[in-house]
């Protein structure tokens, strides 16, 4: 929210970086984390790879958590279940975004991105030109930015799921993008390789 970057090593430590990508400190968090999402300036939520919780996203004072079973639960900050969205797709386990009472998730093996409402009803699905979507995020306008792992591309999908554009591809030096996060202060994105060999920031230009 203020330009700092939180980085989680898979089965590892949680680091805080400065806005220019330099190491600030390692957060003193017990165990080996797998996902992180920011709640406010000084509070984060994390989950662990040995738990049934996989994907994690915060919006409107509640968390969307995807479970190993394929179920998505909306919980409050005390851990109480507000609603349950049952979906059978295993690919929801890692990659989802919760915003405006909608859950957007990627299906790597089905080569699709889906948008559903809080009742679990599908609003739209996008299947064009995707080869293996993984991490995703939204920009300031509600567009969805997707790391398409298999094709070495970053793709932006319009908020209604009707149109898309390639932002960065292999010719720009991108390789197997895994996670992606939008920097709302600078209209840029951070992305990392699946094995953590790099963390990169790039400007967002749609024109």
């Amino acid at each position: 929210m203020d330009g700092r970057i939180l980085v989680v090593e898979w089965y590892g430590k949680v680091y805080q970086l400065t806005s220019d990508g330099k190491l600030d400190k390692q957060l003193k968090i017990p165990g080996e984390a797998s996902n992180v999402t920011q709640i406010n300036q000084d509070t984060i939520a994390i989950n662990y790879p040995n738990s049934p919780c996989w994907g994690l996203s915060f919006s409107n004072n509640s968390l969307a958590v995807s479970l190993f079973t394929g179920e998505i639960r909306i919980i409050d900050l005390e851990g109480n279940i507000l609603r349950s969205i049952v979906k059978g797709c295993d690919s929801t386990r890692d990659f989802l975004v919760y915003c405006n009472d909608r859950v957007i998730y990627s299906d790597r093996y089905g080569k699709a991105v889906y948008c559903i409402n809080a009742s679990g009803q599908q609003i739209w699905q996008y299947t064009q030109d995707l080869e293996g979507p993984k991490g995703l995020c939204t920009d300031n306008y509600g567009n969805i930015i997707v790391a398409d792992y298999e094709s070495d591309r970053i793709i932006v999908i319009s908020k209604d799921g009707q149109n898309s554009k390639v932002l960065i591809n292999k010719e720009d030096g991108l390789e197997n993008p895994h996670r992606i996060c939008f920097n709302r202060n600078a209209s840029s994105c951070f992305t990392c390789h699946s094995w953590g060999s790099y963390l990169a920031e790039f400007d967002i230009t749609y024109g």
Side-chain angles (χ1 to χ4, degrees):
M1 294 177 180
D2 60 1
R4 290 177 293 176
I5 309 161
L6 292 174
V7 178
V8 179
E9 291 183 318
W10 180 248
Y11 284 76
K13 303 177 179 67
V14 181
Y15 298 97
Q16 180 176 293
L17 310 183
T18 61
S19 59
D20 57 356
K22 296 178 180 179
L23 178 63
D24 184 15
K25 62 182 177 180
Q26 176 186 332
L27 302 186
K28 295 181 179 180
I29 295 173
E32 298 175 333
S34 61
N35 277 306
V36 62
T37 188
Q38 187 175 19
I39 294 173
N40 57 42
Q41 284 285 99
D42 300 303
T43 308
I44 62 174
I46 62 173
N47 60 6
Y48 295 88
N50 58 352
S51 74
C53 303
W54 291 69
L56 189 65
S57 182
F58 173 78
S59 177
N60 197 27
N61 293 317
S62 57
L63 290 162
V65 182
S66 62
L67 306 182
F68 183 81
T69 58
E71 177 187 358
I72 300 172
R73 287 182 182 172
I74 309 300
I75 64 174
D76 63 23
L77 296 182
E78 284 71 46
N80 302 306
I81 300 174
L82 302 178
R83 67 181 69 93
S84 178
I85 304 171
V86 179
K87 300 294 293 184
C89 174
D90 288 342
S91 295
T92 63
R93 292 185 300 180
D94 279 324
F95 312 107
L96 61 81
V97 172
Y98 176 44
C99 61
N100 301 322
D101 289 324
R102 295 183 176 187
V103 176
I104 303 164
Y105 66 91
S106 60
D107 179 355
R108 176 187 176 190
Y109 301 108
K111 301 180 180 181
V113 170
Y114 296 91
C115 177
I116 59 177
N117 63 21
S119 299
Q121 297 175 320
Q122 181 176 297
I123 298 173
W124 54 259
Q125 65 174 344
Y126 185 88
T127 57
Q128 302 175 35
D129 304 322
L130 294 175
E131 296 184 20
K134 283 196 170 185
L136 38 75
C137 61
T138 56
D139 67 9
N140 290 326
Y141 306 100
N143 301 306
I144 300 91
I145 304 170
V146 183
D148 197 35
Y149 177 84
E150 300 293 345
S151 69
D152 302 315
R153 295 180 301 171
I154 301 295
I155 299 171
V156 59
I157 301 172
S158 59
K159 61 183 180 181
D160 60 2
Q162 298 300 307
N163 302 291
S164 69
K165 179 180 179 179
V166 176
L167 298 179
I168 295 180
N169 55 33
K170 191 172 185 178
E171 286 69 30
D172 299 310
L174 190 67
E175 182 181 1
N176 300 134
H178 184 69
R179 301 274 182 175
I180 192 163
C181 179
F182 185 72
N183 181 357
R184 301 187 184 281
N185 296 319
S187 293
S188 63
C189 270
F190 299 100
T191 186
C192 67
H193 185 273
S194 58
W195 300 111
S197 60
Y198 71 79
L199 174 70
E201 182 181 15
F202 60 90
D203 293 327
I204 297 294
T205 303
Y206 296 146

